[in-house]
Amino acid sequence: MRKINLIVLHCSATREDREYTPEQLERDHRARGFISAGYNYYVRRTGSLLYMRPLEQIPAHVKGFNRNSIGICYEGGLDSRGQPKDTRTPEQKETILALLHMLLIRFPGCRICGHRDLMSLKACPCFNAAEEYAHLPS
Ligand SMILES: [Zn+2]
């Protein structure tokens, strides 16, 4: 297993009234030249969790930080007009929290943050992940 010390949250930049399936995600990322979906995990609006890229493999989700990180993406992140918005459903919040707890047990000491905390020009994931998850035991 590679060394992992960072967990990064993303949104899929999907409008809240649209659907973005894991198949679409996989296809879009392959079209960008990735070997598979760039994120390790994808969380649907229903709260269902998809394991997209094995943790052993380096994800492709944030330039300069891929090697030591895990990428988690939730479906959503835009309002119906395409503006950034925290569209997480209660089910998504629950799944993400449970996933983070699990990952912190397996990879203690990880820093948790949002994509935007590493790249100042992005809104992703449209909520303050570092603050929201600061209470989690690391
Ligand atoms: Zn992102």
Side-chain angles (χ1 to χ4, degrees), residues 8-12 39 61-62 72-73 114-116 122-125:
V8 184
L9 277 296
H10 298 264
C11 67
S12 64
Y39 309 113
H61 61 117
V62 51
I72 302 171
C73 178
H115 191 181
R116 68 183 185 188
K122 290 213 163 208
C124 180

Side-chain angles (χ1 to χ4, degrees), residues 18-108:
R18 309 255 172 95
E19 206 184 39
Y20 191 58
T21 66
E23 291 75 23
Q24 285 172 296
L25 172 64
E26 181 81 24
R27 192 192 57 211
D28 289 349
H29 279 196
R30 284 179 189 270
R32 284 165 62 182
F34 300 167
I35 53 166
S36 70
Y39 309 113
N40 299 107
Y41 296 97
Y42 185 52
V43 183
R44 298 298 307 273
R45 277 202 184 80
T46 58
S48 73
L49 177 67
L50 288 302
Y51 189 35
M52 304 299 291
R53 187 182 289 207
L55 288 176
E56 291 78 8
Q57 294 177 19
I58 296 171
H61 61 117
V62 51
K63 206 174 169 71
F65 296 91
N66 287 317
R67 187 167 295 277
N68 298 334
S69 69
I70 292 170
I72 302 171
C73 178
Y74 75 92
E75 181 183 21
L78 301 178
D79 68 17
S80 57
R81 292 166 53 240
Q83 297 302 308
K85 180 187 171 187
D86 181 1
T87 63
R88 289 173 301 157
T89 63
E91 292 82 4
Q92 279 177 316
K93 289 183 182 178
E94 199 174 310
T95 296
I96 293 168
L97 199 55
L99 176 60
L100 290 175
H101 272 287
M102 188 201 80
L103 291 173
L104 286 172
I105 290 169
R106 188 160 172 203
F107 306 103

